[in-house]
Amino acid sequence: MTLARRNAPGTMRPSDLLIPTPAGLWCPPADVYIDPVRPVARALITHGHSDHARAGHGAVLATRETLAIMALRYGEGFTGQRQEAVPGETVRIGEVDFTFVPAGHVLGSAQIVVESGGLRIVASGDYKRERDPTCAGFEPVPCDIFITEATFGLPVFRHPPAHAEVAKLLESVRVFPERTHIVGAYSLGKAQRVMALIREAGYDRPLYLHGAMEKLTEFYLSEGAQLGEVRKVVAAERKTLGGEIVICPPSAIQDLWARKFPDPVTSFASGWMRIRARARQKGVELPLIVSDHADWDDLQATIRETGAGEIWVTHGEADALVHWCTSVGLRAKPLHLVGYGDEGEVDAVAEGADAVAV
Ligand SMILES: [Zn+2]
Ligand SMILES: [Zn+2]
């Protein structure tokens, strides 16, 4: 990252620069909110998942891809004004400098560097460190305070390499050539990443897609994602798709929709699949541990890389991560922000009827 660390001692207090409020993280000197969960006059949005990117703000500053994703999901009128944040370029609002830096989470995802009066805080949104062929990789930014999620902030969560999980899927397809493999994956990011990994593994048959994922997948394709031939599932043709791979929203794997395929193998690509009980409870026969969030080791590695002396934890397993930070001599606190969580479940609601109807 090109943002060099400043030497000047700070004059700005952290609590003057960013404050947790019920609407989200508020920056009073610029009067902007980061990923607000309620409508505000001016919002800075880290990425397009619906727990972070909501419609109805007066103005939105976000990357070009995130703005496009919001328009796809909510319609062109999702905000009064939109302003594109170019990664690595600083935008000054009031006396505060804001810089968007890739977060490696989904296409267009960014951390937001907030800097004023010699104090630098990085609000990282959601992020991961594992390579993802469909989005720019996370770039650590040296900072005074690092704000992190903790979705998988427990020692039990250590994600295996995603390509090894996808290899399990392809092996199952080889072993059961008559069965349809139905892979549940979140509509924004996970679905396209799984498809790209399937292609990287050399699978070259068409991939079949649930209709609810079509718009976002077309957007990824238009942005250069290497997904090969993708076909929309036509309801009447489901019984002819034995031996094929179908990607659908997680909510669809237990639907009647899924039972119309020949002897389906239900699969789900998620960090939560590390918990066997969760896989069983969702009726998942082939759990794939593929996550777009940092695991326990990567949360720690990232915190150390930023060199921050103080850590704020937004959502997820905040207490466990705060405890670890404290144990290694860092100041740390949970922000208790509400409204963030499992984006798959939130997104399924955001997409409404078309997520389940097709
Ligand atoms: Zn997210
Ligand atoms: Zn999130």
Side-chain angles (χ1 to χ4, degrees):
M1 183 58 218
T2 48
L3 287 165
R5 198 165 169 83
R6 310 133 337 285
N7 296 319
T11 52
M12 173 74 80
R13 286 184 310 174
S15 58
D16 293 336
L17 192 53
L18 277 178
I19 301 174
T21 74
L25 265 180
W26 178 43
C27 176
D31 196 17
V32 300
Y33 289 82
I34 295 175
D35 291 352
V37 296
R38 297 179 185 173
V40 299
R42 190 157 195 193
L44 277 54
I45 307 281
T46 59
H47 68 286
H49 279 142
S50 46
D51 52 333
H52 298 257
R54 298 175 193 246
H57 305 305
V60 167
L61 173 65
T63 63
R64 181 182 59 77
E65 296 90 341
T66 296
L67 292 171
I69 288 164
M70 292 179 77
L72 279 176
R73 302 191 120 176
Y74 303 126
E76 293 296 334
F78 71 90
T79 180
Q81 294 179 323
R82 50 179 109 171
Q83 184 184 355
E84 182 185 322
V86 178
E89 287 184 12
T90 297
V91 176
R92 173 160 285 198
I93 304 172
E95 295 297 304
V96 187
D97 288 332
F98 297 92
T99 312
F100 285 58
V101 175
H105 177 57
V106 298
L107 183 60
S109 67
Q111 312 168 69
I112 301 177
V113 183
V114 182
E115 187 157 17
S116 186
L119 178 70
R120 183 187 285 172
I121 303 180
V122 172
S124 58
D126 290 340
Y127 64 95
K128 72 171 174 291
R129 306 303 304 273
E130 194 180 15
R131 192 188 74 90
D132 180 338
T134 66
C135 71
F138 180 97
E139 296 178 20
V141 178
C143 57
D144 303 298
I145 297 173
F146 184 63
I147 305 179
T148 181
E149 55 140 324
T151 304
F152 292 115
L154 286 175
V156 65
F157 292 112
R158 289 193 162 91
H159 306 324
H163 67 81
E165 296 296 289
V166 166
K168 286 185 200 166
L169 169 67
L170 296 179
E171 175 63 10
S172 179
V173 171
R174 197 186 64 75
V175 172
F176 301 111
E178 287 85 33
R179 303 179 69 184
T180 306
H181 283 70
I182 301 182
V183 184
Y186 300 149
S187 304
L188 170 57
K190 186 67 60 61
Q192 297 79 19
R193 181 182 177 206
V194 166
M195 288 191 272
L197 289 169
I198 288 171
R199 293 311 185 197
E200 285 189 351
Y203 183 86
D204 57 7
R205 294 194 50 76
L207 289 169
Y208 290 84
L209 194 67
H210 188 288
M213 299 171 143
E214 205 178 11
K215 278 189 297 186
L216 284 168
T217 300
E218 275 171 8
F219 178 64
Y220 267 70
L221 286 166
S222 74
E223 292 288 314
Q226 302 292 307
L227 310 181
E229 186 185 350
V230 180
R231 294 185 188 165
K232 183 176 165 180
V233 172
V234 177
E237 293 173 359
R238 279 173 291 187
K239 46 188 174 311
T240 68
L241 296 180
E244 307 292 358
I245 298 174
V246 175
I247 314 286
C248 68
S251 57
I253 59 177
Q254 286 177 309
D255 274 4
L256 191 58
W257 177 86
R259 281 179 242 142
K260 304 279 180 175
F261 294 93
D263 195 11
V265 176
T266 54
S267 183
F268 183 16
S270 166
W272 296 111
M273 292 298 98
R274 177 71 182 74
I275 307 297
R276 292 283 152 176
R278 192 139 170 164
R280 272 196 304 275
Q281 171 208 342
K282 287 187 178 281
V284 175
E285 189 176 341
L286 180 63
L288 302 175
I289 308 169
V290 181
S291 174
D292 283 335
H293 296 270
D295 68 4
W296 179 242
D297 292 331
D298 283 345
L299 289 168
Q300 295 177 6
T302 304
I303 286 169
R304 290 189 189 278
E305 267 181 85
T306 65
E310 184 167 338
I311 309 302
W312 296 352
V313 184
T314 53
H315 62 291
E317 302 291 345
D319 292 341
L321 192 59
V322 164
H323 179 80
W324 174 80
C325 291
T326 311
S327 74
V328 296
L330 300 170
R331 281 194 305 280
K333 65 176 180 186
L335 294 185
H336 302 298
L337 293 181
V338 293
Y340 306 96
D342 192 327
E343 49 248 1
E345 279 154 31
V346 183
D347 282 351
V349 174
E351 274 149 27
D354 66 332
V356 288
V358 185

